[in-house]
Amino acid sequence: MAERESRRGAPGVWRRLAGRPWAVAGLAALGPAAWGTTFVTTTELLPPGRPLLSAALRALPAGLLFLAFTRRLPRGEWWWKAAVLGLLNFGAFFPLIFYGAYRLPGGVASTIGALSPLLVAGFGLVVLKVRPGRGTVPAALVGVVGVALLVLRSEAALDGAGIAALLLATALMALAVVLAKRWGRPEGVSLLALTGWQLTAGGLMLAPVALIVEGAPPVPTASHLVGYAYLGLIGTALAYALWFRGIERLPASSMSFLGLANPVVAAFAGLLLLGQSLTGWQVVGLLLVLSGVLWGQRAGRGGRPVAAGSAAGSGQRAERVPAAAAGG
């Protein structure tokens, strides 16, 4: 009898553990960690010169899979909200990232992406009316310096258009995090359904652009199929589901620091799969990145409303409680 009760209580224990902030953050960090393998997957498995096709095949099949599983479509204002989030997270973000990656060394791209915590803090102040927690800005600067030491090379060439594209992409991603906190999700709608709406919207925006700009897709090989399956299922469907779950349950500024897992994993992927090596300064950079992430998690929970009143109170609630409870 005691054994049966123990088994019955085990799922509840695991659910409670998975709901702890550290567990939510750890699971959410798997999203950026999976994105850190995108460069290796693209260069080793996917056809060259097809960034828009790769972006469309990352988003659309995963979105349709979620829609088929949940059988739930948006209603009312969520048609345009899902379209906006799909544009910010996928439809515009993916092409800008690929464009910048083609014109800039990976180290420069990762360093620009590390500015996300600063941008999220700024958007949170304007949109959520929540002042960044004490230590958020210093922690973000530590993260930027760490990423720069980890991935930036002295011979890195700078390209104005590429820098502009990546700055815009980083800003769009930061804005998407803040808007997702503000809007939450509709009552009774699962996280998978909301993720599917955004992926499908972004994929539908990308597919015709890819066809017009890049032409008909090439005949896929076995390596292409493996690469697309990995990016679609692991690097997109699973990664973004965990990422959006984290956005619901953690402060926006805390979430932005988890994105620093991306360049860390990218560096280790190059180390293990491409035969690259780490220098002493890169080890220092890695330690600074990890310090920035941990510091940012603590600082992110100390956000305060800018001023008393309904607007500030609403922003504080959106920052403090799960979006599902805060409403759509």
Side-chain angles (χ1 to χ4, degrees), residues 124-147:
L125 184 63
V126 174
V127 178
L128 299 179
K129 307 300 182 185
V130 173
R131 185 179 291 109
R134 184 178 301 174
T136 296
V137 172
L141 294 176
V142 168
V144 172
V145 172
V147 170

Side-chain angles (χ1 to χ4, degrees), residues 156-180:
L158 300 181
D159 176 87
I163 291 175
L166 285 175
L167 284 174
L168 180 57
T170 304
L172 293 181
M173 187 72 164
L175 180 59
V177 169
V178 174
L179 287 179

Side-chain angles (χ1 to χ4, degrees), residues 250-267:
L250 295 174
S253 54
S254 295
M255 280 298 299
S256 63
F257 281 93
L258 298 180
L260 298 179
N262 186 328
V264 172
V265 172

Side-chain angles (χ1 to χ4, degrees), residues 9 12 30 45 49 87 125 142 153 162 191 199 216 237 255 283 286 288 328:
L30 293 177
L45 297 177
L87 174 67
L125 184 63
V142 168
R153 300 292 185 270
L191 180 62
L199 285 166
M255 280 298 299
V283 173
L286 174 61
L288 286 176

Side-chain angles (χ1 to χ4, degrees), residues 164-295:
L166 285 175
L167 284 174
L168 180 57
T170 304
L172 293 181
M173 187 72 164
L175 180 59
V177 169
V178 174
L179 287 179
K181 290 295 298 182
R182 182 177 180 86
W183 291 341
R185 59 181 160 106
E187 184 179 355
V189 173
S190 69
L191 180 62
L192 288 184
L194 180 59
T195 304
W197 298 350
Q198 297 180 54
L199 285 166
T200 302
L204 290 175
M205 297 173 194
L206 285 165
V209 177
L211 187 61
I212 293 171
V213 174
E214 298 176 351
V219 177
T221 65
S223 66
H224 296 166
L225 294 176
V226 170
Y228 286 133
Y230 172 78
L231 286 181
L233 295 175
I234 305 299
T236 302
L238 177 61
Y240 274 98
L242 293 174
W243 179 251
F244 292 150
R245 178 178 181 269
I247 290 176
E248 281 194 336
R249 290 163 170 79
L250 295 174
S253 54
S254 295
M255 280 298 299
S256 63
F257 281 93
L258 298 180
L260 298 179
N262 186 328
V264 172
V265 172
F268 276 100
L271 179 69
L272 298 175
L273 301 177
L274 301 180
Q276 299 172 354
S277 59
L278 288 178
T279 66
W281 281 114
Q282 287 178 303
V283 173
V284 173
L286 174 61
L287 294 176
L288 286 176
V289 170
L290 295 177
S291 300
V293 171
L294 295 176
W295 190 3

